[in-house]
Amino acid sequence: AEHLHAIDRLRLANLTVSTKTSYGSIDTLRLRGSEQSSVLTGTIVVDQGSIFLPDFNKKQIVKLDDPELYNLVDTSLFVNRRLLPSGPPKLVAGLNLKNVSIDLGTDTWLKSTEANINLNGTVEVTTARLPRDTTRALALTGAVSATRGSYVLNLGIVQRTFTVEQPGTITFSGDPEFNPQLDITAVNIVHPSGQTQQYVKPELRIQVHLGGTLDHLQLGLYSADSLPQSDLISYLVSGVPSYELNQANSGALATSI
């Protein structure tokens, strides 16, 4: 296969792959044997594609100190999260995988309306038992790197762009369900203004961390100065800490987000 549009799953992934490549170190995919006993070897290369990240649902957020401020995801989107195809049960039952891998090319992205993050690396293909079932299914194991890209944090009245500065990871645990663990950090640099400007560093590095799994996504804001979440949000919106905002502005900000 060359540039085969193999996967087109809404809210899950859209991938074009090849099994025959020009890379000398990559082995062509090969299946040998019978339906009852077979061996699969080789590599699938993702030529280009997207893995879709759910958007955070801000409609339920009403105030800045809400403990669920960055932990609200529409979980109704997560149904039938099997990425790899279901092979014939007899074939998969007798299948022996030897060094079968999926190699992400340079044009593979983790995407949503908020995220655009480049991924690279290799994951292994394995088999696992389906929950509450004896059937074996194909699954992924291993980790790939999130090397560059951006994340736009929607704060209602403003949007702030965070840049990935250090490699993050997306880790697959060998589960047939497509639900990897995320560990990605991006940075936004704020230049404080107002009264605070003379008391703090010329720039404040605010980090956004994407963690959890696709079906339980978690987002947090951090800084090296260990500032509270309310101050970090206030800096991102207005360039000043929350105590410099007058009560009317604070109320308007809380209502808007």
Side-chain angles (χ1 to χ4, degrees), residues 9-247:
R9 299 282 307 279
L10 183 66
R11 303 190 184 101
L12 191 63
N14 191 322
L15 303 174
T16 299
V17 305
S18 293
T19 58
K20 184 177 181 181
T21 74
S22 59
Y23 301 106
S25 61
I26 294 180
D27 297 326
T28 301
L29 201 66
R30 185 182 295 271
L31 178 66
R32 301 181 182 89
S34 64
E35 184 182 36
Q36 290 74 30
S37 178
S38 59
V39 177
L40 182 65
T41 59
T43 301
I44 295 173
V45 177
V46 178
D47 300 306
Q48 61 182 34
S50 301
I51 296 172
F52 299 123
L53 186 71
D55 294 325
F56 280 91
N57 180 5
K58 295 293 192 298
K59 295 179 181 178
Q60 302 175 48
I61 300 175
V62 293
K63 56 183 180 178
L64 294 177
D65 59 355
D66 188 338
E68 293 297 307
L69 180 61
Y70 294 115
N71 197 24
L72 293 173
V73 179
D74 186 359
T75 54
S76 66
L77 299 179
F78 299 97
V79 293
N80 189 21
R81 297 197 59 83
R82 294 277 301 281
L83 177 65
L84 298 180
S86 300
K90 287 185 179 181
L91 179 64
V92 176
L95 185 62
N96 182 15
L97 293 104
K98 292 187 176 180
N99 300 319
V100 179
S101 60
I102 296 178
D103 184 78
L104 303 186
T106 58
D107 196 17
T108 306
W109 299 82
L110 182 68
K111 285 195 172 188
S112 70
T113 58
E114 302 159 334
N116 190 36
I117 300 171
N118 188 231
L119 305 177
N120 63 49
T122 302
V123 290
E124 299 298 318
V125 181
T126 184
T127 58
R129 300 283 183 184
L130 291 172
R132 300 174 299 276
D133 198 343
T134 59
T135 305
R136 294 175 72 199
L138 299 176
L140 300 176
T141 182
V144 296
S145 297
T147 55
R148 59 188 174 92
S150 62
Y151 183 85
V152 178
L153 182 61
N154 186 354
L155 294 170
I157 56 177
V158 296
Q159 291 78 42
R160 294 291 183 246
T161 299
F162 290 72
T163 302
V164 176
E165 289 190 338
Q166 58 187 14
T169 57
I170 298 180
T171 304
F172 299 87
S173 60
D175 189 339
E177 295 293 316
F178 188 68
N179 192 32
Q181 181 82 29
L182 278 69
D183 183 7
I184 302 172
T185 300
V187 177
N188 179 281
I189 298 177
V190 175
H191 297 279
S193 59
Q195 301 173 15
T196 307
Q197 189 175 17
Q198 57 184 314
Y199 303 112
V200 299
K201 298 176 182 178
E203 61 181 37
L204 176 65
R205 295 171 60 84
I206 299 178
Q207 296 178 325
V208 62
H209 179 258
L210 298 175
T213 61
L214 287 186
D215 67 359
H216 190 66
L217 198 60
Q218 298 174 332
L219 186 150
L221 289 175
Y222 306 94
S223 74
D225 304 298
S226 300
L227 296 174
Q229 295 271 317
S230 58
D231 278 348
L232 295 178
I233 296 171
S234 182
Y235 273 118
L236 288 169
V237 172
S238 63
V240 299
S242 57
Y243 61 80
E244 285 194 24
L245 293 175
N246 59 44
Q247 185 174 5

